[in-house]
Amino acid sequence: MLPGDLRRCESALAKQGRAARIVERTTSTNDDARMWARDGAAPGSVVIADAQDAGRGRQGRAWSTPPGETLAMSIVLRPQVAPSALPPIALVAGLAVREAIGARVRNAMVKWPNDVVVDGKKIAGVLVEGAIAGSRVDFVVVGIGVNVDRRAFPRELVATSIALEGGDVDRCALVVDILGALDRELAAWLAAPSSIGARVGEHDFLRGRDVIVDERIGVADGIADDGCLAVRIGNERVLAQAGEVRLR
Ligand code: BT5
Protein backbone atom coordinates (compact mmCIF):
# COMPACT_ATOMS: atom_id res chain seq x y z
CA MET A 1 0.00 0.00 0.00
CA LEU A 2 1.15 3.56 -0.71
CA PRO A 3 2.32 5.53 2.33
CA GLY A 4 -0.08 8.32 3.40
CA ASP A 5 1.91 11.26 2.04
CA LEU A 6 2.15 9.75 -1.45
CA ARG A 7 -1.55 8.83 -1.38
CA ARG A 8 -2.37 12.48 -0.61
CA CYS A 9 -0.09 13.44 -3.46
CA GLU A 10 -2.27 11.55 -5.94
CA SER A 11 -5.26 13.75 -5.16
CA ALA A 12 -3.20 16.95 -4.88
CA LEU A 13 -1.78 16.44 -8.39
CA ALA A 14 -5.16 15.38 -9.80
CA LYS A 15 -6.62 18.65 -8.50
CA GLN A 16 -3.91 20.53 -10.41
CA GLY A 17 -4.82 18.59 -13.54
CA ARG A 18 -1.38 17.01 -13.73
CA ALA A 19 -1.10 13.47 -15.11
CA ALA A 20 0.59 11.36 -12.43
CA ARG A 21 1.38 7.72 -11.80
CA ILE A 22 2.34 6.98 -8.21
CA VAL A 23 3.47 3.45 -7.35
CA GLU A 24 4.77 1.64 -4.32
CA ARG A 25 7.76 0.10 -6.03
CA THR A 26 9.40 0.07 -9.45
CA THR A 27 12.81 -0.54 -11.01
CA SER A 28 13.44 3.10 -12.00
CA THR A 29 10.93 5.92 -12.38
CA ASN A 30 13.06 7.19 -15.29
CA ASP A 31 12.36 3.96 -17.20
CA ASP A 32 8.63 4.21 -16.44
CA ALA A 33 8.54 7.85 -17.56
CA ARG A 34 10.41 7.02 -20.79
CA MET A 35 7.90 4.30 -21.64
CA TRP A 36 5.02 6.63 -20.85
CA ALA A 37 6.60 9.37 -22.99
CA ARG A 38 6.89 6.93 -25.92
CA ASP A 39 3.19 6.19 -25.44
CA GLY A 40 2.40 9.91 -25.73
CA ALA A 41 2.55 11.28 -22.15
CA ALA A 42 1.78 15.01 -22.05
CA PRO A 43 4.55 17.38 -20.96
CA GLY A 44 4.58 17.67 -17.18
CA SER A 45 3.42 14.08 -16.62
CA VAL A 46 5.09 12.64 -13.56
CA VAL A 47 5.96 9.19 -12.21
CA ILE A 48 6.63 8.82 -8.48
CA ALA A 49 7.69 5.72 -6.55
CA ASP A 50 8.08 5.03 -2.86
CA ALA A 51 11.00 2.70 -3.63
CA GLN A 52 13.18 1.78 -6.62
CA ASP A 53 14.94 -1.56 -7.10
CA ALA A 54 17.35 -0.23 -9.73
CA GLY A 55 17.46 3.53 -9.23
CA ARG A 56 20.36 4.95 -11.20
CA GLY A 57 22.57 7.98 -11.47
CA ARG A 58 24.77 9.06 -14.35
CA GLN A 59 27.01 6.60 -16.21
CA GLY A 60 25.23 3.61 -14.72
CA ARG A 61 25.97 4.53 -11.12
CA ALA A 62 23.46 3.30 -8.53
CA TRP A 63 21.04 5.58 -6.68
CA SER A 64 19.65 4.14 -3.47
CA THR A 65 15.92 4.54 -2.82
CA PRO A 66 14.76 2.66 0.28
CA PRO A 67 10.98 2.70 0.91
CA GLY A 68 9.49 5.50 3.00
CA GLU A 69 12.71 7.49 3.14
CA THR A 70 13.26 9.12 -0.23
CA LEU A 71 11.46 10.84 -3.06
CA ALA A 72 11.96 9.28 -6.49
CA MET A 73 10.20 11.13 -9.27
CA SER A 74 10.56 11.53 -13.03
CA ILE A 75 8.94 14.20 -15.15
CA VAL A 76 8.32 14.07 -18.89
CA LEU A 77 9.18 17.29 -20.74
CA ARG A 78 8.90 18.13 -24.43
CA PRO A 79 10.97 21.31 -24.81
CA GLN A 80 11.10 22.82 -28.31
CA VAL A 81 14.89 23.08 -28.39
CA ALA A 82 17.70 21.59 -30.45
CA PRO A 83 19.31 18.46 -28.96
CA SER A 84 22.55 20.43 -28.49
CA ALA A 85 20.71 22.77 -26.09
CA LEU A 86 19.76 19.99 -23.66
CA PRO A 87 22.71 19.75 -21.21
CA PRO A 88 21.69 22.75 -19.02
CA ILE A 89 18.36 21.07 -18.21
CA ALA A 90 20.03 19.22 -15.32
CA LEU A 91 20.94 22.63 -13.87
CA VAL A 92 17.45 23.99 -14.50
CA ALA A 93 16.04 21.04 -12.56
CA GLY A 94 18.77 21.41 -9.93
CA LEU A 95 17.68 25.01 -9.33
CA ALA A 96 14.07 23.92 -8.88
CA VAL A 97 14.99 21.12 -6.47
CA ARG A 98 17.30 23.47 -4.56
CA GLU A 99 14.51 26.00 -4.19
CA ALA A 100 12.11 23.40 -2.76
CA ILE A 101 14.72 21.92 -0.43
CA GLY A 102 15.94 25.40 0.50
CA ALA A 103 12.44 26.21 1.79
CA ARG A 104 12.88 23.35 4.28
CA VAL A 105 16.53 23.35 5.32
CA ARG A 106 19.34 25.90 5.50
CA ASN A 107 22.29 26.11 3.16
CA ALA A 108 20.98 24.09 0.20
CA MET A 109 23.16 24.77 -2.84
CA VAL A 110 23.47 23.56 -6.43
CA LYS A 111 26.59 21.55 -7.07
CA TRP A 112 27.30 21.57 -10.78
CA PRO A 113 26.31 19.67 -12.85
CA ASN A 114 23.44 17.81 -11.19
CA ASP A 115 23.47 17.74 -7.39
CA VAL A 116 21.91 19.64 -4.54
CA VAL A 117 24.12 19.65 -1.44
CA VAL A 118 23.96 20.92 2.12
CA ASP A 119 27.40 21.74 3.52
CA GLY A 120 28.89 19.61 0.78
CA LYS A 121 26.73 16.56 1.56
CA LYS A 122 24.48 15.30 -1.23
CA ILE A 123 20.79 15.67 -0.43
CA ALA A 124 19.44 15.29 -3.99
CA GLY A 125 20.56 14.24 -7.46
CA VAL A 126 19.17 14.82 -10.94
CA LEU A 127 19.40 12.48 -13.93
CA VAL A 128 18.29 13.89 -17.29
CA GLU A 129 17.74 11.48 -20.18
CA GLY A 130 16.60 12.62 -23.61
CA ALA A 131 15.20 10.95 -26.69
CA ILE A 132 16.21 12.55 -29.98
CA ALA A 133 14.21 12.15 -33.19
CA GLY A 134 16.34 13.35 -36.11
CA SER A 135 17.28 16.95 -35.47
CA ARG A 136 14.74 17.56 -32.72
CA VAL A 137 14.07 16.55 -29.15
CA ASP A 138 11.22 14.05 -28.91
CA PHE A 139 11.09 14.10 -25.11
CA VAL A 140 13.23 14.57 -22.03
CA VAL A 141 12.86 12.73 -18.74
CA VAL A 142 14.03 14.61 -15.67
CA GLY A 143 14.66 12.16 -12.82
CA ILE A 144 14.93 13.58 -9.32
CA GLY A 145 15.99 11.71 -6.21
CA VAL A 146 15.75 13.44 -2.80
CA ASN A 147 16.80 12.02 0.56
CA VAL A 148 13.79 12.93 2.65
CA ASP A 149 13.21 10.95 5.87
CA ARG A 150 16.46 9.02 5.77
CA ARG A 151 18.45 8.91 9.01
CA ALA A 152 21.46 6.78 8.09
CA PHE A 153 23.67 6.24 5.03
CA PRO A 154 26.39 3.73 4.17
CA ARG A 155 29.77 5.12 5.17
CA GLU A 156 30.95 5.57 1.56
CA LEU A 157 28.19 8.11 0.80
CA VAL A 158 28.77 11.76 1.65
CA ALA A 159 25.06 12.38 2.04
CA THR A 160 22.39 13.99 4.15
CA SER A 161 18.60 14.23 4.17
CA ILE A 162 15.84 16.73 4.86
CA ALA A 163 15.19 14.91 8.17
CA LEU A 164 18.84 15.03 9.25
CA GLU A 165 18.89 18.77 8.45
CA GLY A 166 15.76 19.35 10.54
CA GLY A 167 13.26 20.04 7.71
CA ASP A 168 9.67 18.95 7.12
CA VAL A 169 9.51 15.46 5.57
CA ASP A 170 6.07 15.48 3.94
CA ARG A 171 6.65 14.22 0.39
CA CYS A 172 3.32 15.49 -0.94
CA ALA A 173 4.20 19.12 -0.22
CA LEU A 174 7.74 18.53 -1.52
CA VAL A 175 6.48 17.13 -4.84
CA VAL A 176 4.08 20.05 -5.31
CA ASP A 177 6.86 22.55 -4.55
CA ILE A 178 9.40 20.88 -6.86
CA LEU A 179 6.93 20.68 -9.76
CA GLY A 180 5.91 24.34 -9.31
CA ALA A 181 9.54 25.45 -9.17
CA LEU A 182 10.43 23.31 -12.19
CA ASP A 183 7.66 24.91 -14.26
CA ARG A 184 8.99 28.38 -13.35
CA GLU A 185 12.66 27.57 -13.86
CA LEU A 186 11.95 25.89 -17.17
CA ALA A 187 9.93 28.85 -18.43
CA ALA A 188 12.71 31.26 -17.34
CA TRP A 189 15.37 29.16 -19.10
CA LEU A 190 13.36 28.77 -22.32
CA ALA A 191 12.73 32.53 -22.39
CA ALA A 192 16.40 33.38 -21.78
CA PRO A 193 18.68 30.31 -22.09
CA SER A 194 21.85 32.28 -21.39
CA SER A 195 20.52 33.33 -17.97
CA ILE A 196 21.32 29.89 -16.53
CA GLY A 197 24.85 30.88 -15.49
CA ALA A 198 23.67 33.85 -13.45
CA ARG A 199 20.77 31.93 -11.92
CA VAL A 200 22.98 29.06 -10.75
CA GLY A 201 25.59 31.61 -9.68
CA GLU A 202 23.36 32.65 -6.79
CA HIS A 203 23.57 29.14 -5.31
CA ASP A 204 26.84 27.79 -6.72
CA PHE A 205 28.53 25.37 -4.29
CA LEU A 206 31.66 24.87 -6.43
CA ARG A 207 32.62 28.53 -6.89
CA GLY A 208 36.06 29.18 -5.42
CA ARG A 209 36.78 25.49 -4.80
CA ASP A 210 39.71 23.55 -6.21
CA VAL A 211 38.75 21.25 -9.07
CA ILE A 212 40.69 19.01 -11.44
CA VAL A 213 40.15 19.28 -15.20
CA ASP A 214 42.23 17.03 -17.48
CA GLU A 215 44.68 16.35 -14.61
CA ARG A 216 45.20 20.12 -14.15
CA ILE A 217 44.23 21.80 -10.89
CA GLY A 218 42.15 24.95 -11.12
CA VAL A 219 39.57 26.96 -9.23
CA ALA A 220 35.87 26.82 -10.12
CA ASP A 221 34.87 30.26 -11.35
CA GLY A 222 31.14 30.17 -11.93
CA ILE A 223 28.81 28.70 -14.51
CA ALA A 224 29.01 29.84 -18.13
CA ASP A 225 25.93 30.92 -20.06
CA ASP A 226 25.78 27.54 -21.82
CA GLY A 227 25.84 25.62 -18.50
CA CYS A 228 29.53 24.63 -18.66
CA LEU A 229 31.70 25.02 -15.55
CA ALA A 230 34.20 27.86 -15.81
CA VAL A 231 37.57 27.00 -14.28
CA ARG A 232 40.57 29.29 -13.74
CA ILE A 233 43.85 27.49 -14.35
CA GLY A 234 46.66 29.99 -13.91
CA ASN A 235 45.85 32.86 -16.26
CA GLU A 236 43.60 30.74 -18.41
CA ARG A 237 39.81 30.40 -18.06
CA VAL A 238 38.58 27.07 -19.48
CA LEU A 239 35.03 25.83 -19.87
CA ALA A 240 34.50 22.24 -18.80
CA GLN A 241 31.67 19.85 -19.48
CA ALA A 242 30.16 17.36 -17.03
CA GLY A 243 32.35 14.28 -16.79
CA GLU A 244 35.59 16.25 -17.28
CA VAL A 245 35.77 17.70 -13.79
CA ARG A 246 36.64 16.22 -10.39
CA LEU A 247 36.53 17.99 -7.05
CA ARG A 248 40.00 18.11 -5.58
C1 BT5 B 1 22.77 11.37 -9.57
O1 BT5 B 1 23.72 10.69 -10.26
O2 BT5 B 1 22.97 12.02 -8.58
C2 BT5 B 1 21.38 11.24 -10.15
C3 BT5 B 1 20.41 10.58 -9.21
C4 BT5 B 1 19.03 10.55 -9.82
C5 BT5 B 1 18.11 9.64 -9.06
C6 BT5 B 1 16.71 9.74 -9.56
S1 BT5 B 1 15.57 8.94 -8.50
C7 BT5 B 1 14.33 9.09 -9.69
C8 BT5 B 1 14.96 8.79 -11.02
N1 BT5 B 1 14.98 7.39 -11.28
C9 BT5 B 1 16.24 6.90 -11.37
O3 BT5 B 1 16.54 5.71 -11.62
N2 BT5 B 1 17.11 7.91 -11.19
C10 BT5 B 1 16.45 9.17 -10.95
P1 BT5 B 1 25.30 10.79 -10.01
O4 BT5 B 1 25.74 12.22 -10.01
O5 BT5 B 1 25.90 9.87 -11.00
O6 BT5 B 1 25.48 10.25 -8.54
C11 BT5 B 1 25.43 8.88 -8.23
C12 BT5 B 1 26.26 8.67 -6.98
O7 BT5 B 1 25.59 9.25 -5.84
C13 BT5 B 1 26.47 7.21 -6.61
O8 BT5 B 1 27.58 6.67 -7.27
C14 BT5 B 1 26.68 7.27 -5.09
O9 BT5 B 1 28.02 7.60 -4.80
C15 BT5 B 1 25.84 8.48 -4.69
N3 BT5 B 1 24.52 8.08 -4.13
C16 BT5 B 1 23.76 7.00 -4.41
N4 BT5 B 1 22.60 7.03 -3.73
C17 BT5 B 1 22.63 8.16 -2.99
C18 BT5 B 1 21.73 8.77 -2.09
N5 BT5 B 1 20.54 8.25 -1.81
N6 BT5 B 1 22.11 9.95 -1.51
C19 BT5 B 1 23.29 10.52 -1.80
N7 BT5 B 1 24.19 10.00 -2.64
C20 BT5 B 1 23.86 8.84 -3.24
Side-chain angles (χ1 to χ4, degrees):
M1 207 167 80
L2 276 183
D5 57 350
L6 292 187
R7 231 176 312 130
R8 266 186 292 114
C9 200
E10 273 184 327
S11 50
L13 296 179
K15 262 189 211 139
Q16 294 186 346
R18 190 181 286 268
R21 293 180 178 171
I22 307 184
V23 298
E24 215 177 315
R25 193 163 206 115
T26 188
T27 48
S28 157
T29 55
N30 261 36
D31 290 341
D32 297 344
R34 281 161 75 135
M35 276 191 279
W36 195 8
R38 283 201 191 98
D39 285 349
S45 300
V46 60
V47 178
I48 299 171
D50 184 42
Q52 296 182 121
D53 294 320
R56 62 173 182 273
R58 294 170 303 152
Q59 289 142 15
R61 293 193 278 257
W63 180 263
S64 68
T65 320
E69 300 182 354
T70 53
L71 172 65
M73 68 191 287
S74 299
I75 304 116
V76 176
L77 303 177
R78 297 188 186 275
Q80 304 288 306
V81 297
S84 60
L86 286 182
I89 289 188
L91 286 172
V92 173
L95 279 171
V97 176
R98 192 223 68 83
E99 182 184 318
I101 293 176
R104 289 161 172 78
V105 310
R106 287 151 60 110
N107 249 350
M109 299 186 91
V110 175
K111 183 176 168 199
W112 181 92
N114 68 317
D115 291 350
V116 177
V117 297
V118 173
D119 300 329
K121 289 176 268 185
K122 187 154 166 166
I123 195 165
V126 174
L127 174 69
V128 175
E129 297 177 318
I132 312 297
S135 61
R136 62 178 195 90
V137 174
D138 184 10
F139 63 82
V140 171
V141 169
V142 175
I144 295 169
V146 185
N147 298 320
V148 183
D149 198 5
R150 189 160 177 184
R151 312 279 168 161
F153 292 92
R155 199 176 299 162
E156 68 273 14
L157 293 187
V158 184
T160 189
S161 68
I162 293 179
L164 288 175
E165 301 299 327
D168 186 89
V169 295
D170 183 88
R171 287 178 293 182
C172 177
L174 183 63
V175 165
V176 169
D177 284 1
I178 290 175
L179 290 173
L182 185 60
D183 284 348
R184 282 195 305 279
E185 287 298 339
L186 201 63
W189 175 66
L190 287 168
S194 63
S195 64
I196 188 72
R199 294 178 77 78
V200 177
E202 294 165 30
H203 311 283
D204 179 3
F205 172 76
L206 283 184
R207 182 181 273 278
R209 290 178 197 272
D210 286 356
V211 294
I212 301 171
V213 186
D214 286 340
E215 308 308 321
R216 294 196 296 166
I217 296 169
V219 178
D221 191 27
I223 309 298
D225 291 348
D226 61 355
C228 285
L229 181 72
V231 180
R232 276 215 180 277
I233 305 177
N235 290 330
E236 217 185 323
R237 191 168 189 257
V238 302
L239 296 182
Q241 313 237 1
E244 295 173 350
V245 180
R246 281 181 290 141
L247 195 54
R248 195 183 174 203

